[in-house]
Amino acid sequence: MKRLAVALTAILALALFVSPAFAGKIDDIKKRGTLIAGVKDSQPPFGYVDEKTKQIVGFEIDIMKFLADKLGVKLDVKAVTSSTRIPMLTQGEVDIVAATMTHKKDREGQVDFSITYFMTGQRLLVKKGGPIKGVKDLASKKIGSVKGSTSEQNAKKAEPSATIVSFETYPEAFLALKQGKVEAVTTDEAILVGLKYSDDKPDAWDIVGDYISPEPYGFGLIENDSKFRDFVNISLMEMWESGEYKKVYDKWFGKDTKNYIPLTWTMELWP
Amino acid sequence: MAYQFDFGLVVSGQYGDWIVDGLVTTLKISGLAIAFSLALGTLVCIMRLSRLKPLEWISWTYIEFFRNTPLLVQIFFWYFGSYTILPEFATNWLNSVDQEFACGVIALTFYTGAFIAEDLRSGIFAIPKTQLEASRACGLTFIQAMGYVILPQAFRIIVPPLISQFLNLIKNSSLVMTIGVAELTYMARQIEAHTFHGLEAFTVTTLIYLTISLTVSFTIQQYNLRVLRTAR
């Protein structure tokens, strides 16, 4: 019995001794002096390469900058894609993922999410003046979407008789719409707005219908590091309360931008 | 933190169904494309060997063009590019059917058909020229001589390269996901997007491709061995 107690104590001591090796992300980041964020580089206005400076800029990069400033470190961004963002996070190549990622229950298994920092919903991009006014008009028609965007299943649920055709990129889905191969393109409104204005004649296209599904974006964080997650969440709330969030939002989605989306939601603020 | 493997998630329930759906589509598209490309390859090969210069020229152009351009580019050509050159009634008709699947079959057929034509030609050349001359001397037409004497022997010779073409086609069929055909690889990507369990989805998919390929290869090898034994 005594031997068992000694063994247990030894294991406990070892566990205590070892645990600093798993010290939180915050310590790692401070020691390193940089916050490494995985961001999109082709998703204006969330994250894209600026034509003049050749730097990755965007809404999500500005929020990351805020976090880095709060930690007193420099910001380092790494471009990720929808398929690389999670492996890069779990392998520690990036500290945080800010890449238009919808917070879904099914996705909780691999990573943790921050609170919602951007709220959008899935809608439809259609030819202006056409017969499509909402998702119900798409019964037994084809809807274009993009792989990895999760919008496919939502549209299928909203209109089961529709066929969803998923492409590699948004421009391809848009081309299919222009050629009449699909009747509508569906994904998050914020992305559709960017898509519409990428066309030579943006007035020929319309974003219609009610929200098919809510798309709350959250930052991807490593599992089981509540200190870092708390830091991110509380920083976001501070940003919202101080008005800093609104400033950044207006810079990218405000009235004077071509990606105008009114700010109609409120961040979840813990009392 | 290491990656948490969870194979149960991708092989059962909704995601398991997706994999089965994807597998069925892969088998359908591959099966159709194999049948069509075999027919097209044979036709093109005969055209190439015929003494009519225009036919020979057309088939030569076809073979060189389709063998020497990337399949991905061809898939995009059939799906997006052909829209700009086809007449309006044809595009309207295409838009009304399952054109993703149709364009996928067409692209795979034209691509693989070019390779099969060349394999078949090499098989025909392996047959002594005197056989064709003898058949013609017996009064058979060129087509009859081909159909009854030359092609049956040539096909037996080219079974091994033909298997490789079929296996390539099955693997190449994963490329049609770029035009939205929901085949096996497409489904793996979709599962990854939904669950972030991409490693498991792709491991399962890889094993399925391996199983299909090995089964096809083994079956035809067995057939080939038996045929060769009786031929000896």
Side-chain angles (χ1 to χ4, degrees):
Chain A
M1 198 62 205
K2 203 175 163 198
R3 206 176 281 169
L4 186 69
V6 170
L8 279 178
T9 319
I11 290 169
L12 203 66
L14 197 67
L16 283 174
F17 182 72
V18 169
S19 61
F22 298 110
K25 272 280 170 211
I26 294 196
D27 296 333
D28 290 354
I29 293 164
K30 283 197 170 147
K31 207 183 285 168
R32 199 192 303 131
T34 49
L35 170 71
I36 308 175
V39 300
K40 288 259 174 99
D41 64 352
S42 56
Q43 193 90 281
F46 289 95
Y48 64 99
V49 179
D50 186 74
E51 278 178 22
K52 282 183 214 122
T53 62
K54 305 292 173 212
Q55 299 282 315
I56 300 181
V57 296
F59 173 72
E60 285 168 337
I61 285 82
D62 282 359
I63 297 184
M64 289 297 116
K65 187 88 188 56
F66 180 86
L67 294 182
D69 287 347
K70 254 197 96 183
L71 284 166
V73 296
K74 275 195 290 195
L75 175 67
D76 189 4
V77 293
K78 267 189 194 171
V80 297
T81 66
S82 295
S83 26
T84 63
R85 56 192 179 186
I86 298 310
M88 281 176 83
L89 181 65
T90 53
Q91 287 159 19
E93 285 168 60
V94 297
D95 300 318
I96 182 167
V97 170
T100 59
M101 197 156 71
T102 302
H103 189 172
K104 286 173 64 85
K105 268 185 264 168
D106 278 2
R107 285 174 163 178
E108 275 281 346
Q110 285 297 329
V111 297
D112 277 353
F113 283 86
S114 72
I115 57 167
T116 303
Y117 67 91
F118 189 89
M119 186 73 204
T120 183
Q122 190 182 333
R123 294 184 79 195
L124 302 167
L125 180 68
V126 297
K127 201 169 259 172
K128 200 174 205 156
I132 313 293
K133 298 275 177 266
V135 73
K136 288 290 158 210
D137 299 325
L138 287 164
S140 35
K141 294 213 164 78
K142 281 189 195 163
I143 313 177
S145 183
V146 168
K147 285 189 205 85
S149 67
T150 75
S151 36
E152 182 175 24
Q153 293 300 309
N154 300 330
K156 193 88 195 153
K157 223 176 275 169
E159 184 46 62
S161 69
T163 309
I164 320 288
V165 184
S166 289
F167 298 93
E168 295 295 302
T169 64
Y170 290 104
E172 279 167 29
F174 197 19
L175 183 59
L177 174 67
K178 286 178 191 169
Q179 295 190 347
K181 293 180 160 68
V182 295
E183 300 290 322
V185 172
T186 185
T187 189
D188 309 347
E189 179 177 23
I191 296 172
L192 290 180
V193 168
L195 201 57
K196 174 177 161 172
Y197 286 101
S198 71
D199 192 42
D200 298 338
K201 291 186 227 97
D203 291 338
W205 312 98
D206 225 353
I207 296 167
V208 299
D210 296 330
Y211 279 162
I212 297 170
S213 78
E215 300 281 337
Y217 291 174
F219 297 127
L221 305 162
I222 201 103
E223 286 247 291
N224 304 328
D225 188 342
S226 66
K227 205 173 148 202
F228 186 45
R229 197 174 62 232
D230 285 348
F231 164 76
V232 172
N233 286 343
I234 289 168
S235 302
L236 279 171
M237 293 180 222
E238 275 176 25
M239 235 185 134
W240 182 274
E241 283 167 328
S242 68
E244 179 71 21
Y245 180 92
K246 180 90 169 74
K247 250 180 22 205
V248 173
Y249 186 92
D250 284 344
K251 177 177 163 194
W252 299 103
F253 298 100
K255 267 203 176 71
D256 307 328
T257 67
K258 60 178 190 175
N259 296 302
Y260 175 54
I261 303 171
L263 185 58
T264 53
W265 62 281
T266 321
M267 192 179 280
E268 165 198 357
L269 297 172
W270 304 341
Chain B
M1 193 202 80
Y3 190 89
Q4 304 283 320
F5 279 92
D6 183 3
F7 281 100
L9 183 80
V10 300
V11 293
S12 61
Q14 176 197 12
Y15 300 127
D17 293 345
W18 289 7
I19 288 194
V20 173
D21 286 350
L23 173 62
V24 169
T25 308
T26 290
L27 291 177
K28 258 201 249 170
I29 204 165
S30 304
L32 281 173
I34 282 175
F36 290 145
S37 61
L38 202 54
L40 180 70
T42 310
L43 179 74
V44 168
C45 177
I46 293 173
M47 277 167 68
R48 177 128 193 217
L49 293 176
S50 82
R51 252 177 266 149
L52 291 172
K53 279 288 158 199
L55 286 185
E56 192 191 337
W57 192 79
I58 290 170
S59 73
W60 181 82
T61 312
Y62 159 74
I63 291 170
E64 295 307 320
F65 186 83
F66 282 90
R67 279 208 319 168
N68 295 304
T69 49
L71 175 58
L72 191 60
V73 175
Q74 291 178 27
I75 290 174
F76 280 120
F77 166 75
W78 291 112
Y79 190 69
F80 286 117
S82 61
Y83 177 88
T84 50
I85 52 171
L86 288 174
E88 204 181 320
F89 75 88
T91 58
N92 283 344
W93 177 78
L94 266 176
N95 283 347
S96 67
V97 298
D98 186 1
Q99 70 167 317
E100 287 76 31
F101 188 85
C103 286
V105 174
I106 292 172
L108 287 171
T109 299
F110 274 84
Y111 182 75
T112 313
F115 287 91
I116 289 179
E118 285 297 89
D119 285 344
L120 188 55
R121 196 162 67 103
S122 66
I124 289 173
F125 280 141
I127 297 181
K129 209 174 173 227
T130 44
Q131 292 211 16
L132 182 65
E133 288 164 0
S135 322
R136 296 304 299 275
C138 291
L140 296 180
T141 64
F142 175 74
I143 298 291
Q144 282 172 332
M146 275 288 168
Y148 293 126
V149 182
I150 308 295
L151 283 181
Q153 298 183 76
F155 269 115
R156 204 155 63 193
I157 294 170
I158 64 157
V159 165
L162 217 48
I163 302 170
S164 333
Q165 295 306 346
F166 294 163
L167 295 182
N168 276 337
L169 187 147
I170 293 168
K171 289 178 283 177
N172 285 339
S173 73
S174 63
L175 283 175
V176 300
M177 76 168 178
T178 52
I179 53 168
V181 181
E183 46 70 66
L184 198 50
T185 310
Y186 176 105
M187 289 304 189
R189 287 274 294 273
Q190 212 66 12
I191 292 171
E192 179 185 40
H194 278 250
T195 62
F196 289 158
H197 283 277
L199 284 180
E200 293 92 319
F202 280 107
T203 307
V204 171
T205 310
T206 306
L207 288 177
I208 294 176
Y209 277 115
L210 195 65
T211 312
I212 301 175
S213 296
L214 288 180
T215 311
V216 171
S217 178
F218 182 77
T219 316
I220 304 189
Q221 287 290 7
Q222 287 303 309
Y223 168 79
N224 197 25
L225 278 178
R226 196 166 304 165
V227 168
L228 285 187
R229 204 176 297 139
T230 51
R232 246 182 239 138

XYZ file of all heavy atoms in Angstrom, chain B residues 26-76:
415
model
N -18.510 6.954 -58.689
C -17.208 6.636 -59.272
C -17.303 5.394 -60.161
O -16.798 5.380 -61.280
C -16.171 6.392 -58.147
O -15.896 7.644 -57.516
C -14.888 5.827 -58.705
N -17.992 4.358 -59.673
C -18.107 3.126 -60.451
C -18.920 3.364 -61.723
O -18.579 2.865 -62.786
C -18.754 2.020 -59.604
C -17.896 1.495 -58.444
C -18.656 0.451 -57.636
C -16.575 0.923 -58.949
N -20.007 4.159 -61.592
C -20.860 4.433 -62.755
C -20.082 5.192 -63.827
O -20.081 4.810 -64.996
C -22.060 5.289 -62.317
C -23.336 4.486 -62.150
C -24.528 5.417 -62.234
C -25.217 5.563 -60.919
N -26.221 6.587 -60.826
N -19.430 6.248 -63.404
C -18.749 7.101 -64.388
C -17.581 6.339 -65.011
O -17.331 6.429 -66.208
C -18.320 8.452 -63.751
C -18.175 9.517 -64.826
C -17.038 8.340 -62.968
C -18.120 10.925 -64.281
N -16.880 5.532 -64.205
C -15.746 4.773 -64.732
C -16.235 3.695 -65.686
O -15.657 3.506 -66.763
C -14.952 4.117 -63.598
O -14.530 5.070 -62.674
N -17.300 2.992 -65.297
C -17.819 1.914 -66.132
C -18.259 2.433 -67.501
O -17.873 1.885 -68.539
N -19.020 3.528 -67.497
C -19.484 4.106 -68.763
C -18.300 4.559 -69.611
O -18.238 4.283 -70.807
C -20.405 5.301 -68.483
C -21.843 4.962 -68.095
C -22.588 6.224 -67.680
C -22.551 4.299 -69.277
N -17.362 5.256 -68.967
C -16.230 5.793 -69.718
C -15.355 4.670 -70.262
O -14.813 4.769 -71.363
C -15.412 6.737 -68.844
N -15.224 3.563 -69.525
C -14.436 2.422 -70.019
C -15.092 1.853 -71.277
O -14.431 1.646 -72.301
C -14.301 1.338 -68.922
C -13.234 1.755 -67.901
C -13.925 -0.013 -69.540
C -13.099 0.824 -66.717
N -16.406 1.651 -71.214
C -17.113 1.080 -72.372
C -16.988 2.002 -73.582
O -16.628 1.563 -74.682
C -18.579 0.862 -72.017
N -17.254 3.301 -73.389
C -17.217 4.240 -74.515
C -15.804 4.408 -75.056
O -15.596 4.513 -76.262
C -17.782 5.605 -74.095
C -19.265 5.595 -73.863
C -19.835 6.381 -72.875
C -20.100 4.787 -74.634
C -21.215 6.371 -72.653
C -21.472 4.775 -74.424
C -22.033 5.560 -73.430
N -14.808 4.478 -74.137
C -13.455 4.738 -74.625
C -12.914 3.533 -75.390
O -12.134 3.673 -76.319
C -12.519 5.118 -73.474
O -12.439 4.073 -72.541
N -13.360 2.350 -75.015
C -12.950 1.152 -75.739
C -13.498 1.207 -77.169
O -12.784 0.953 -78.141
C -13.484 -0.089 -75.004
C -12.777 -1.415 -75.247
C -11.291 -1.294 -74.982
C -13.380 -2.486 -74.339
N -14.776 1.585 -77.275
C -15.405 1.687 -78.595
C -14.739 2.792 -79.417
O -14.369 2.584 -80.577
C -16.893 1.975 -78.431
N -14.561 3.961 -78.789
C -13.965 5.093 -79.501
C -12.527 4.768 -79.910
O -12.125 5.034 -81.051
C -13.992 6.336 -78.601
C -13.411 7.599 -79.218
C -14.322 8.113 -80.329
C -13.230 8.691 -78.163
N -11.763 4.180 -78.996
C -10.371 3.842 -79.284
C -10.267 2.892 -80.461
O -9.411 3.061 -81.340
N -11.156 1.893 -80.518
C -11.134 0.926 -81.614
C -11.441 1.612 -82.942
O -10.733 1.430 -83.931
C -12.185 -0.178 -81.355
O -12.003 -0.668 -80.036
C -12.036 -1.308 -82.347
N -12.482 2.448 -82.914
C -12.872 3.159 -84.135
C -11.729 4.030 -84.646
O -11.381 4.003 -85.835
C -14.103 4.020 -83.830
C -14.621 4.855 -84.998
C -15.335 3.948 -85.996
C -15.576 5.941 -84.493
N -11.118 4.784 -83.728
C -10.058 5.710 -84.123
C -8.860 4.941 -84.658
O -8.225 5.342 -85.636
C -9.652 6.591 -82.915
C -8.380 7.354 -83.207
C -10.777 7.542 -82.574
N -8.567 3.804 -84.039
C -7.422 3.003 -84.469
C -7.656 2.494 -85.890
O -6.754 2.542 -86.733
C -7.228 1.856 -83.498
S -5.905 0.766 -83.991
N -8.870 2.022 -86.163
C -9.167 1.518 -87.516
C -9.080 2.652 -88.533
O -8.521 2.501 -89.622
C -10.572 0.866 -87.546
C -10.552 -0.402 -86.701
C -10.984 0.536 -88.964
C -11.904 -1.039 -86.511
N -9.590 3.827 -88.131
C -9.484 4.996 -89.015
C -8.025 5.302 -89.326
O -7.654 5.599 -90.455
C -10.125 6.214 -88.336
C -11.635 6.297 -88.495
S -12.353 7.523 -87.373
C -11.709 9.040 -88.056
N -7.208 5.194 -88.312
C -5.803 5.548 -88.491
C -5.107 4.578 -89.443
O -4.185 4.933 -90.157
C -5.111 5.537 -87.121
C -3.632 5.833 -87.212
C -3.209 6.927 -86.298
N -1.872 7.348 -86.682
C -0.950 7.706 -85.831
N -1.210 7.725 -84.568
N 0.235 8.067 -86.262
N -5.571 3.319 -89.443
C -4.912 2.313 -90.265
C -5.514 2.222 -91.668
O -4.952 1.563 -92.534
C -5.012 0.942 -89.590
C -4.223 0.810 -88.289
C -4.461 -0.545 -87.664
C -2.746 1.037 -88.518
N -6.676 2.877 -91.853
C -7.321 2.767 -93.161
C -6.502 3.537 -94.194
O -5.690 4.391 -93.863
C -8.744 3.318 -93.088
O -8.701 4.717 -93.213
N -6.766 3.233 -95.439
C -5.962 3.883 -96.476
C -6.559 5.217 -96.911
O -5.990 5.892 -97.732
C -5.787 2.923 -97.657
C -4.352 2.393 -97.716
C -4.183 1.402 -98.828
N -4.375 0.038 -98.354
C -4.865 -0.947 -99.094
N -5.234 -0.732 -100.329
N -4.982 -2.162 -98.601
N -7.714 5.582 -96.330
C -8.308 6.876 -96.668
C -7.589 7.981 -95.903
O -7.657 8.048 -94.679
C -9.799 6.887 -96.317
C -10.691 5.995 -97.182
C -12.099 5.960 -96.608
C -10.707 6.491 -98.611
N -6.891 8.842 -96.652
C -6.030 9.848 -96.022
C -6.783 10.768 -95.050
O -6.283 11.030 -93.950
C -5.311 10.676 -97.094
C -4.091 9.978 -97.665
C -2.937 9.947 -96.666
C -1.996 8.813 -97.050
N -1.123 8.389 -95.963
N -7.961 11.312 -95.418
C -8.640 12.228 -94.486
C -8.949 11.559 -93.153
O -8.745 12.149 -92.092
C -9.932 12.604 -95.214
C -9.675 12.295 -96.641
C -8.697 11.167 -96.671
N -9.393 10.280 -93.196
C -9.700 9.561 -91.965
C -8.442 9.408 -91.113
O -8.443 9.651 -89.902
C -10.263 8.175 -92.275
C -11.688 8.112 -92.806
C -12.130 6.668 -92.954
C -12.638 8.846 -91.858
N -7.365 9.033 -91.769
C -6.104 8.847 -91.061
C -5.675 10.166 -90.407
O -5.245 10.195 -89.255
C -5.040 8.365 -92.047
C -3.782 7.878 -91.353
C -2.641 7.644 -92.310
O -2.904 7.424 -93.508
O -1.484 7.678 -91.854
N -5.846 11.232 -91.162
C -5.410 12.540 -90.667
C -6.251 12.963 -89.452
O -5.717 13.433 -88.452
C -5.550 13.565 -91.797
C -4.873 14.854 -91.468
C -3.549 15.115 -91.549
C -5.507 16.029 -90.974
N -3.301 16.387 -91.136
C -4.479 16.981 -90.781
C -6.833 16.378 -90.671
C -4.741 18.255 -90.295
C -7.081 17.651 -90.187
C -6.050 18.583 -90.015
N -7.566 12.750 -89.545
C -8.441 13.124 -88.429
C -8.056 12.349 -87.166
O -7.900 12.920 -86.084
C -9.930 12.841 -88.771
C -10.415 13.821 -89.835
C -10.810 12.969 -87.514
C -11.778 13.462 -90.396
N -7.872 11.055 -87.313
C -7.594 10.260 -86.114
C -6.219 10.594 -85.540
O -6.036 10.613 -84.323
C -7.700 8.768 -86.430
O -6.600 8.354 -87.192
N -5.272 10.879 -86.427
C -3.934 11.256 -85.943
C -4.025 12.550 -85.113
O -3.474 12.652 -84.022
C -2.981 11.456 -87.135
C -1.586 11.813 -86.722
C -0.610 10.959 -86.319
C -1.033 13.130 -86.647
N 0.535 11.656 -86.003
C 0.294 12.989 -86.198
C -1.532 14.414 -86.925
C 1.138 14.089 -86.012
C -0.685 15.502 -86.726
C 0.628 15.333 -86.279
N -4.756 13.536 -85.640
C -4.921 14.808 -84.921
C -5.576 14.572 -83.565
O -5.123 15.087 -82.546
C -5.813 15.775 -85.721
O -5.351 15.792 -87.060
C -5.784 17.165 -85.138
N -6.647 13.778 -83.586
C -7.355 13.489 -82.339
C -6.408 12.875 -81.308
O -6.341 13.325 -80.159
C -8.540 12.544 -82.627
C -9.022 11.806 -81.404
C -9.756 12.450 -80.419
C -8.688 10.457 -81.211
C -10.166 11.772 -79.287
C -9.099 9.781 -80.082
C -9.833 10.437 -79.125
O -10.221 9.777 -77.998
N -5.674 11.839 -81.731
C -4.805 11.130 -80.779
C -3.756 12.072 -80.196
O -3.570 12.154 -78.979
C -4.127 9.922 -81.457
C -5.169 8.841 -81.760
C -3.017 9.357 -80.576
C -4.659 7.722 -82.627
N -3.087 12.802 -81.071
C -2.015 13.681 -80.578
C -2.569 14.773 -79.679
O -1.985 15.116 -78.658
C -1.240 14.298 -81.755
C -0.475 13.291 -82.593
C 0.447 12.417 -81.759
O 1.087 12.918 -80.813
O 0.520 11.190 -82.038
N -3.723 15.321 -80.051
C -4.291 16.408 -79.258
C -4.682 15.929 -77.855
O -4.314 16.532 -76.848
C -5.517 16.984 -79.969
C -6.076 18.200 -79.277
C -5.529 19.443 -79.511
C -7.125 18.085 -78.363
C -6.018 20.556 -78.852
C -7.612 19.196 -77.712
C -7.063 20.441 -77.963
N -5.379 14.814 -77.790
C -5.912 14.409 -76.489
C -4.881 13.708 -75.612
O -5.010 13.700 -74.396
C -7.165 13.538 -76.668
C -8.372 14.354 -77.001
C -8.706 14.622 -78.321
C -9.145 14.901 -75.998
C -9.808 15.400 -78.625
C -10.249 15.682 -76.294
C -10.578 15.935 -77.610
N -3.857 13.113 -76.256
C -2.829 12.486 -75.422
C -1.890 13.523 -74.824
O -1.248 13.271 -73.810
C -2.009 11.498 -76.254
C -2.693 10.168 -76.425
C -1.717 9.049 -76.615
N -0.601 9.414 -77.487
C 0.483 8.667 -77.610
N 0.589 7.555 -76.926
N 1.460 9.033 -78.409
N -1.782 14.677 -75.476
C -0.745 15.633 -75.087
C -1.256 16.895 -74.428
O -0.560 17.905 -74.375
C 0.116 15.979 -76.311
C 0.869 14.764 -76.799
O 1.606 14.140 -76.048
N 0.651 14.398 -78.046
N -2.485 16.847 -73.936
C -2.966 17.977 -73.133
C -3.459 17.421 -71.796
O -3.922 16.286 -71.743
C -4.118 18.739 -73.830
O -5.084 17.790 -74.272
C -3.629 19.526 -75.017
N -3.335 18.219 -70.723
C -3.729 17.706 -69.404
C -5.229 17.385 -69.349
O -6.042 18.127 -69.902
C -3.409 18.857 -68.446
C -2.500 19.749 -69.197
C -2.814 19.582 -70.641
N -5.555 16.309 -68.674
C -6.954 15.904 -68.553
C -7.790 16.987 -67.859
O -8.925 17.252 -68.232
C -7.049 14.579 -67.791
C -8.450 14.080 -67.465
C -9.273 13.905 -68.726
C -8.394 12.763 -66.720
N -7.197 17.626 -66.858
C -7.945 18.645 -66.127
C -8.399 19.765 -67.066
O -9.537 20.226 -67.009
C -7.074 19.216 -64.998
C -7.786 20.104 -63.987
C -8.894 19.349 -63.287
C -6.797 20.638 -62.960
N -7.480 20.162 -67.965
C -7.819 21.206 -68.938
C -8.950 20.723 -69.838
O -9.884 21.463 -70.147
C -6.569 21.569 -69.778
C -6.937 22.548 -70.874
C -5.484 22.143 -68.888
N -8.881 19.439 -70.229
C -9.928 18.894 -71.101
C -11.288 18.887 -70.395
O -12.314 19.177 -71.001
C -9.566 17.473 -71.523
C -8.381 17.431 -72.471
C -8.014 15.999 -72.844
O -8.840 15.107 -72.829
N -6.744 15.797 -73.152
N -11.262 18.535 -69.101
C -12.520 18.519 -68.350
C -13.144 19.913 -68.338
O -14.328 20.087 -68.603
C -12.281 18.015 -66.910
C -11.949 16.520 -66.943
C -13.513 18.259 -66.040
C -11.548 15.950 -65.608
N -12.300 20.910 -68.073
C -12.811 22.279 -68.073
C -13.269 22.702 -69.462
O -14.236 23.448 -69.617
C -11.762 23.269 -67.547
C -11.677 23.274 -66.060
C -10.501 22.959 -65.406
C -12.787 23.600 -65.299
C -10.442 22.947 -64.021
C -12.729 23.592 -63.919
C -11.555 23.265 -63.276
